[in-house]
Amino acid sequence: MTVMTDALVPALEDAREAHEAVIDRFRADVTITPPGPYRQMLERQVDDVQNSIQRIEHQVRELRPRSGLVGDTLEIARSISRSAVRTAMLPLAIGSTLATEMLRGRWPNDERRLLRNAEDEYAVTARALAACRAGQSIAEEARDQATADLLAALRRQDQELLERLEASVADRARAVAAAANGFRVENGGGLADAAARAVRTAADRVQDVAQSSGRRARGAAEGAVREMPDATRMAEEVQGAVTREQELPIPRFSQLSVDDVKRQLRSLSQSDLTVIEGYERTHANRPGVLDAIEQLRGSEPWEGYDTMNPDKITAQLQNVPSGVARQVLEYERRHRQRQEVISAAEARAAQ
């Protein structure tokens, strides 16, 4: 129970930092938002979120006397709580990606700026929501009802704000499309409808991030995490959903056949596979590609394996148990199939 209590303070600090980012974002956007209801909403939200921060800080002061030794388990809990808020680091350029591809850069600058601001507002609010959800789960596991109730209340506020911002992104996308030279927007169709669908897709994935991060946070506070955190994977899938094709780890992705894609998937890291999966699900959604990605799923033999070159892997194999070498052998045969790594793993596994 002591470990769980110690985990509450960093979880609350994560929530505070996430809400401070909301204030910074909203204040910056107020300065360039035309007078009207939307600007007034942003100004009201700054006051409301400031009040939320004060409530979090009060709860931190209440808990600090009870917080003791912070060990490795706390660091894992902190890491998972932070991974839950990675969504804010993702460029949720939903409307801008769609419009840029369709209008080829012919956006009016003012409308485009307002749309991008709305996207950024949506992103930081999603971060705050996910941070509260992760912290609430830790508090519930620690049986600290006061902290759980506080974070639950803040999470509901963030959810309500996120829904308003979701509508704002769609409205801004419609304004961009309507103002574009030679582009006509019909109700319920065209770019505006596509942008709205994309926003809803991202919103659903943000909710999945928040929910799964809470489950993983509880497990992290009690023991080691052996697989990719659910929140991290979902955040990377959201990233894939809103990433432009030219930024994907496979060049000319949409122009490749399923077989061509499958051949290139083997060379990707687990993280890159997740990004590709997110993009594919929100675009072509080809079963052959998604099935191939699923078959390549698996835990790395050790942390950071996918980022290492063959020479470094071969060198590290000299110092690992034979069981780990067998994991490398199995993983490498399924993925990159680099003969030098396979040979080194076979030699080590045989010792």
Side-chain angles (χ1 to χ4, degrees):
M1 189 60 64
T2 300
V3 172
M4 293 303 301
T5 301
D6 287 338
L8 290 174
V9 171
L12 284 166
E13 289 175 343
D14 284 342
R16 182 192 62 201
E17 292 171 3
H19 285 85
E20 286 173 348
V22 172
I23 288 181
D24 291 343
R25 180 73 262 170
F26 282 24
R27 280 177 174 166
D29 290 352
V30 162
T31 62
I32 56 175
T33 300
Y38 190 75
R39 179 170 175 170
Q40 294 171 3
M41 185 275 288
L42 292 178
E43 292 171 339
R44 287 195 303 272
Q45 287 301 322
V46 168
D47 293 336
D48 291 344
V49 176
Q50 185 61 57
N51 179 63
S52 297
I53 291 175
Q54 292 174 357
R55 295 172 66 186
I56 293 172
E57 290 175 343
H58 174 77
Q59 191 65 16
V60 169
R61 289 193 295 270
E62 290 291 313
L63 287 172
R64 279 200 188 280
R66 291 188 277 146
S67 62
L69 179 64
V70 180
D72 292 339
T73 308
L74 170 58
E75 293 303 318
I76 295 174
R78 181 194 291 267
S79 174
I80 297 304
S81 184
R82 290 190 184 280
S83 73
V85 305
R86 288 187 61 206
T87 311
M89 307 307 294
L90 306 178
L92 290 178
I94 301 160
S96 62
T97 297
L98 290 168
T100 298
E101 291 177 355
M102 297 181 67
L103 304 178
R104 299 183 179 179
R106 291 184 289 162
W107 283 5
N109 290 333
D110 291 345
E111 295 296 347
R112 180 171 62 181
R113 172 67 66 85
L114 293 174
L115 173 58
R116 287 179 174 173
N117 288 350
E119 293 162 0
D120 290 340
E121 292 154 14
Y122 184 95
V124 294
T125 303
R127 175 188 180 189
L129 170 64
C132 287
R133 184 65 184 91
Q136 180 187 347
S137 295
I138 294 175
E140 290 170 348
E141 191 68 19
R143 293 180 173 83
D144 189 316
Q145 195 59 47
T147 301
D149 289 346
L150 169 62
L151 292 172
L154 298 184
R155 178 172 61 85
R156 288 191 292 271
Q157 293 177 11
D158 293 339
Q159 178 61 55
E160 292 174 359
L161 175 57
L162 196 67
E163 291 173 356
R164 289 196 290 272
L165 293 173
E166 177 183 340
S168 173
V169 173
D171 289 342
R172 295 298 185 190
R174 293 187 182 96
V176 166
N181 184 26
F183 192 91
R184 181 178 178 82
V185 179
E186 301 293 342
N187 291 334
L191 173 62
D193 186 54
R197 288 197 305 270
V199 174
R200 287 193 294 271
T201 298
D204 291 342
R205 294 187 182 280
V206 167
Q207 294 306 305
D208 289 340
V209 170
Q211 293 170 4
S212 61
S213 65
R215 293 192 298 271
R216 184 63 69 179
R218 288 195 294 268
E222 295 176 344
V225 179
R226 300 183 181 276
E227 298 176 356
M228 180 186 295
D230 290 344
T232 300
R233 174 170 172 174
M234 187 59 68
E236 288 169 346
E237 193 170 339
V238 173
Q239 180 183 6
V242 299
T243 293
R244 299 187 184 191
E245 182 178 354
Q246 57 267 36
E247 297 171 352
L248 293 174
I250 297 180
R252 300 170 51 252
F253 182 78
S254 66
Q255 302 175 37
L256 300 177
S257 67
V258 172
D259 289 339
D260 289 336
V261 171
K262 290 167 68 173
R263 279 191 289 271
Q264 296 200 41
L265 288 175
R266 289 186 177 276
S267 64
L268 301 184
S269 66
Q270 294 294 318
S271 177
D272 284 344
L273 285 172
T274 307
V275 171
I276 290 290
E277 180 181 3
Y279 184 89
E280 182 66 25
R281 287 190 185 281
T282 52
H283 291 79
N285 200 31
R286 294 169 289 185
V289 173
L290 296 176
D291 289 345
I293 292 173
E294 189 60 33
Q295 291 173 13
L296 293 172
R297 287 288 183 203
S299 300
E300 299 173 80
W302 58 71
E303 184 177 357
Y305 179 92
D306 282 336
T307 65
M308 299 174 68
N309 61 40
D311 291 340
K312 289 186 177 180
I313 294 175
T314 300
Q316 186 157 333
L317 276 169
Q318 305 306 313
N319 302 313
V320 301
S322 59
V324 175
R326 286 191 289 272
Q327 293 177 25
V328 171
L329 184 60
E330 178 182 353
Y331 188 84
E332 194 68 30
R333 283 173 172 168
R334 291 177 57 206
H335 287 266
R336 302 193 180 184
Q337 300 179 339
R338 294 169 291 190
Q339 189 54 49
E340 63 270 40
V341 177
I342 291 175
S343 298
E346 287 175 338
R348 181 59 180 169
Q351 294 179 1

